[in-house]
Amino acid sequence: MGPKQSQIAVITGASSGVGLYAARALINKGNWHIVMACRDVDRAERAANSVNLPKDAYTVLHCDLADFASVLKFVRELSSVARVDHLDALICNAAIWHPRDKKPRFTVDGIEETMQVCHLSHLLLCRELLPKLKISRGRIVFLTTQTHSPNSLPGKIPPQARLGDLSGLAAGLGPQTTGMVDSGPFEPTKAYKDAKAANVLTMKALSDRYGRDGVTSVAIFPGCVADSNLFREKRGWFRYVFFPILQKYITRQYVPNDEAGRRVAEVATQGQFSDSGSYYQWRGKYTEGREKTKPQVIEPTYEIDKADQLYELSLDLIDQALRRRGLKSTILAPV
């Protein structure tokens, strides 16, 4: 761990892509220590070396978001191993997408994997780390996509996100269900979009509850990183040819990993992004060395009236899963 006066950020999924470059961008600001929360510790170390992160500027801790026990162990090790007593930023970046799946995958906690990794485990991290965030009046940043909302042009492409009556979430998202939040038929791309919508609603619910305690919660779409590892299960022609061309020349939403990481770091630190409950996005073509795109504040509206219900049902589901496995929260009392 770096000097005690360092500002500290936790970044999930920091072993590649936007998470890795957000870590580098924060470290380049000076006086930041990054805790890389990653499933593969060795890979994270190699990634840190590949972008020349100073050894004393980061700590890698194991965190598998498909396992609530691993999330709780990470939180404990954050204090005992990394000696973190406060937290200035929690960047909820990690995500998975299995576009070819015909049926849902379920985690060791008995929950549909996409929703647990992208949404529920991040919510658990937020809850467990709130005491440290309150000390620093820190910031929670959720990475999202335009596709989370059918109100956006990319979000109109089917299958669209739809949370419906949240009956699948209420039923536990387990093997006895379809694995979908709205209880509809399983569709892997819709599961991913639903999880991103849940991130935005969770951001709003956290802002409403903890903004008065000085904890800022925001969401960001930094642009489309068309060569992200998120697309690793797509066919080669889509991943390396069609999608990058589409994003570069048609939608003009393409940004490289390093630029997206820089934007995430800005949202995590800069005063202009400190309006809790806001969703920030960049639009317009990015040209290296000639930045013409500007961040916009987008009012999160899609199914936002379900934010409180989704938040409470999600916490109930997390706590039910913890009880089934005999796991206990790291905090002594609700925050």
Side-chain angles (χ1 to χ4, degrees):
M1 175 53 64
K4 285 189 175 181
Q5 67 269 25
S6 290
Q7 291 180 286
I8 300 168
V10 166
I11 306 178
T12 64
S15 61
S16 66
V18 178
L20 176 62
Y21 284 92
R24 187 175 75 169
L26 282 170
I27 289 171
N28 286 344
K29 287 178 176 292
N31 201 40
W32 275 88
H33 191 93
I34 309 304
V35 179
M36 303 169 70
C38 300
R39 183 178 55 183
D40 188 331
V41 171
D42 291 338
R43 180 188 177 194
E45 289 284 4
R46 291 194 300 271
N49 289 334
S50 74
V51 295
N52 300 313
L53 299 189
K55 289 290 187 181
D56 62 352
Y58 71 91
T59 300
V60 178
L61 291 181
H62 178 260
C63 184
D64 183 354
L65 297 178
D67 182 351
F68 288 149
S70 178
V71 174
L72 293 177
K73 182 181 178 184
F74 167 82
V75 174
R76 290 192 295 270
E77 290 187 344
L78 194 63
S79 296
S80 63
V81 177
R83 304 294 182 186
V84 170
D85 59 359
H86 69 279
L87 189 60
D88 298 277
L90 169 59
I91 299 175
C92 300
N93 162 74
I96 58 167
W97 176 35
H98 302 301
R100 299 187 189 184
D101 283 7
K102 302 299 182 183
K103 57 183 180 179
R105 306 183 190 196
F106 296 97
T107 69
V108 66
D109 296 294
I111 297 170
E112 192 278 318
E113 185 184 49
T114 304
M115 188 58 68
Q116 177 162 341
V117 170
C118 297
H119 164 56
L120 293 168
S121 283
H122 280 130
L123 174 55
L124 178 58
L125 268 178
C126 290
R127 184 179 74 177
E128 301 298 304
L129 294 177
L130 269 168
K132 296 183 188 297
L133 286 159
K134 286 181 177 180
I135 290 171
S136 299
R137 300 177 68 85
R139 196 171 302 190
I140 302 171
V141 180
F142 289 93
L143 271 289
T144 190
T145 72
Q146 286 184 311
T147 61
H148 85 272
S149 171
N151 294 335
S152 71
L153 183 59
K156 295 184 187 302
I157 299 172
Q160 296 179 355
R162 182 180 179 276
L163 301 178
D165 60 3
L166 302 176
S167 57
L169 179 63
L173 297 175
Q176 76 282 4
T177 74
T178 65
M180 301 298 287
V181 172
D182 63 353
S183 295
F186 177 73
E187 211 297 326
T189 298
K190 181 180 180 297
Y192 170 74
K193 292 179 181 180
D194 286 350
K196 294 286 102 179
N199 287 159
V200 176
L201 268 62
T202 299
M203 175 274 292
K204 182 65 166 60
L206 287 168
S207 178
D208 289 346
R209 285 161 174 78
Y210 303 108
R212 59 182 171 270
D213 295 322
V215 177
T216 298
S217 298
V218 296
I220 172 181
F221 170 62
C224 182
V225 185
D227 44 9
S228 164
N229 277 342
L230 181 67
F231 303 106
R232 60 186 172 271
E233 293 182 26
K234 295 294 287 183
R235 298 186 188 280
W237 66 267
F238 177 92
R239 182 178 181 187
Y240 298 111
V241 181
F242 172 75
F243 196 57
I245 290 175
L246 174 71
Q247 296 298 332
K248 286 179 181 179
Y249 303 109
I250 306 301
T251 69
R252 300 196 168 195
Q253 290 292 293
Y254 173 83
V255 290
N257 279 297
D258 58 348
E259 174 60 18
R262 185 193 69 79
R263 293 173 180 182
V264 170
E266 293 296 305
V267 170
T269 60
Q270 298 299 311
Q272 71 186 96
F273 302 109
S274 59
D275 188 5
S276 191
S278 294
Y279 164 40
Y280 300 99
Q281 71 173 32
W282 273 255
R283 302 195 64 179
K285 185 178 180 181
Y286 168 76
T287 303
E288 186 175 1
R290 291 184 294 160
E291 179 64 80
K292 294 182 179 180
T293 59
K294 299 293 183 183
Q296 300 174 334
V297 181
I298 306 297
E299 180 67 25
T301 57
Y302 183 64
E303 299 198 298
I304 205 69
D305 59 318
K306 298 175 183 174
D308 287 340
Q309 184 184 9
L310 177 122
Y311 181 83
E312 297 297 341
L313 285 173
S314 296
L315 286 178
D316 286 346
L317 175 52
I318 290 168
D319 286 334
Q320 289 171 23
L322 296 185
R323 286 194 294 271
R324 283 198 303 269
R325 297 185 62 191
L327 302 172
K328 294 183 178 181
S329 168
T330 64
I331 52 180
L332 297 178
V335 292

